Amino acid sequence: MTKMNGSLELAAPVERVRAFMTNPDEFSTCLPNVEGFEKKSDEDFSAKFKVNLPADMRKGLLANLANVGIKMNFKSVASGDTVSVHGEGRSMGMKVTIDLNMRLQGSENKTVINWDADVNAGMITRLMGEENFKKVADEIIGQLVSSVKAKLEG
């Protein structure tokens, strides 16, 4: 399991950030490389997306994979100042889970999100190597954060 964490400051009211992060129609638009999206309820959605592997990682068993497809189901829950998103799915026939917890602190004009995530990609992580997996995950998180920031501060 790969553990990650970080912080993000947004020039947006905390209630707007909470509403955005728990709305599948809005939050899903920030996922990089989405190829398909289905809203299942106000808290649940599924998404199919691609993860682009850098050329230097395409070796061994991953030699022919420029893009890795992932199909996941997500559920978001807001409780107090915390928004949690749980995702489960499959990639290359292997199970992938993501647990993201975001603590929102803010005022009318500014919100700070302190987040932590547990990503379990099992065999995929072992095939890529932990360092390479984290490098790809950091790139995806960077794209996600940039998109959230642009949409909320836009």
Side-chain angles (χ1 to χ4, degrees), residues 74-92:
F74 294 95
K75 179 175 185 71
S76 62
V77 176
S79 177
D81 66 349
T82 301
V83 174
S84 299
V85 179
H86 174 74
E88 286 188 19
R90 299 191 80 69
S91 177
M92 300 187 301

Side-chain angles (χ1 to χ4, degrees), residues 20-34 36-39 45-47 49 74 144 147-148 151:
F20 182 90
M21 300 304 279
T22 58
N23 181 328
D25 292 316
E26 291 188 294
F27 180 72
S28 66
T29 65
C30 295
L31 296 172
N33 304 316
V34 170
F37 164 78
E38 178 186 356
K39 181 177 177 180
F45 70 95
S46 63
F49 51 97
F74 294 95
L144 177 67
S147 184
V148 167
K151 291 193 186 278

Side-chain angles (χ1 to χ4, degrees), residues 44-59:
D44 300 288
F45 70 95
S46 63
K48 181 178 178 184
F49 51 97
K50 293 277 188 190
V51 174
N52 299 315
L53 295 182
D56 65 331
M57 288 185 202
R58 292 184 228 142
K59 53 191 167 194

Side-chain angles (χ1 to χ4, degrees), residues 9-138:
E9 187 173 311
L10 299 165
V14 70
E15 287 306 318
R16 172 68 184 119
V17 173
R18 179 180 291 108
F20 182 90
M21 300 304 279
T22 58
N23 181 328
D25 292 316
E26 291 188 294
F27 180 72
S28 66
T29 65
C30 295
L31 296 172
N33 304 316
V34 170
E35 295 183 331
F37 164 78
E38 178 186 356
K39 181 177 177 180
K40 296 182 175 191
S41 74
D42 288 342
E43 299 88 22
D44 300 288
F45 70 95
S46 63
K48 181 178 178 184
F49 51 97
K50 293 277 188 190
V51 174
N52 299 315
L53 295 182
D56 65 331
M57 288 185 202
R58 292 184 228 142
K59 53 191 167 194
L61 293 172
L62 301 175
N64 297 314
L65 296 176
N67 298 303
V68 177
I70 301 175
K71 181 166 170 76
M72 296 195 70
N73 295 309
F74 294 95
K75 179 175 185 71
S76 62
V77 176
S79 177
D81 66 349
T82 301
V83 174
S84 299
V85 179
H86 174 74
E88 286 188 19
R90 299 191 80 69
S91 177
M92 300 187 301
M94 296 174 250
K95 185 175 181 177
V96 176
T97 62
I98 299 170
D99 286 298
L100 170 63
N101 296 297
M102 298 169 278
R103 287 160 308 287
L104 311 179
Q105 299 173 323
S107 62
E108 288 185 25
N109 301 319
K110 179 176 118 177
T111 301
V112 175
I113 302 174
N114 292 302
W115 62 270
D116 60 80
D118 293 330
V119 181
N120 188 347
M123 185 57 76
I124 296 169
T125 305
R126 289 190 275 286
L127 288 171
M128 292 176 69
E130 181 76 27
E131 185 177 316
N132 285 334
F133 182 82
K134 186 149 177 24
K135 182 177 171 184
V136 171
D138 284 341

